[in-house]
Amino acid sequence: MADPQDDFITQRESMVDVQIRARGVNDEKVLAAMHKVPRHLFVPGELRSFAHGDEPLPIGEGQTISQPYIVAYMTEALELSGGEKVLEVGTGSGYQTAVLAEIVRQVFTVELLSGLSERAGALLQVLGYSNICFKVGDGTLGWEENAPFDAIMVTAAAEAVPKRLQEQLGPNGRMIIPVGAGFQELFLITRERRGFRKKKLLPVRFVPLVSAH
Ligand code: SAH
């Protein structure tokens, strides 16, 4: 009899080959992480068979898990080498958190909605990740106590780049963030000696980054 777990391994393999590698993501650390993290566990049970499709999926509370390619693209854009301390804003399902935790030394992740944060935290603990710290709160404020960060990943769309977040980037730190209301574009912000460099990457669609400030 077929082992259902095997099905998911095959689906992840083809997800990585067809949707990610074939579209130009070639950072082996990113590809290995996406191959390893069991994406089907991060979507609601009834959507499990769609977990590896080339699209975002609902995860409850009006939020979504990003399309696999976008997760890979954004992770690659941060040019991670392994020793980094990374801040993620928008834990959501915890899928992107797991992909980051596979690659870097330490992940700090902030989520506004406590229900999502708790569910993600429980799953990531069961999966054995011990290098992730969770916080419920407004991620536009970053996580001051643990700054500076080598990289910041924002997985919800901001109307403008939050200044407090940008300031928490360390020297040569990189932040990837969707910006725009309605029409959105992905930006890569790099901290340089004399300020910040902003590079536009590609059009995207994310849920809005909600800010109490
Ligand atoms: N990376 C997630 C994507 C989640 S969607 C995944 O892989 O599943 C974006 C998430 O950002 C949502 O869960 C939403 O609740 C959260 N969010 C929106 N505004 C936020 C804010 N100001 N601070 C922290 N999280 C926020």
Side-chain angles (χ1 to χ4, degrees), residues 11 24 35 51-52 67 91 100 120 130 187 206:
Q11 290 187 28
H35 186 257
H52 303 87
Q67 176 190 4
T91 314
L100 288 168
S130 56
F187 281 89
F206 278 84

Side-chain angles (χ1 to χ4, degrees), residues 6 8 12 18 22 37 41 87 163 179 182 190:
D6 274 346
F8 291 118
R12 283 205 296 283
V18 177
V37 177
L41 298 179
L87 173 69
K163 289 281 168 290
V179 181
T190 310

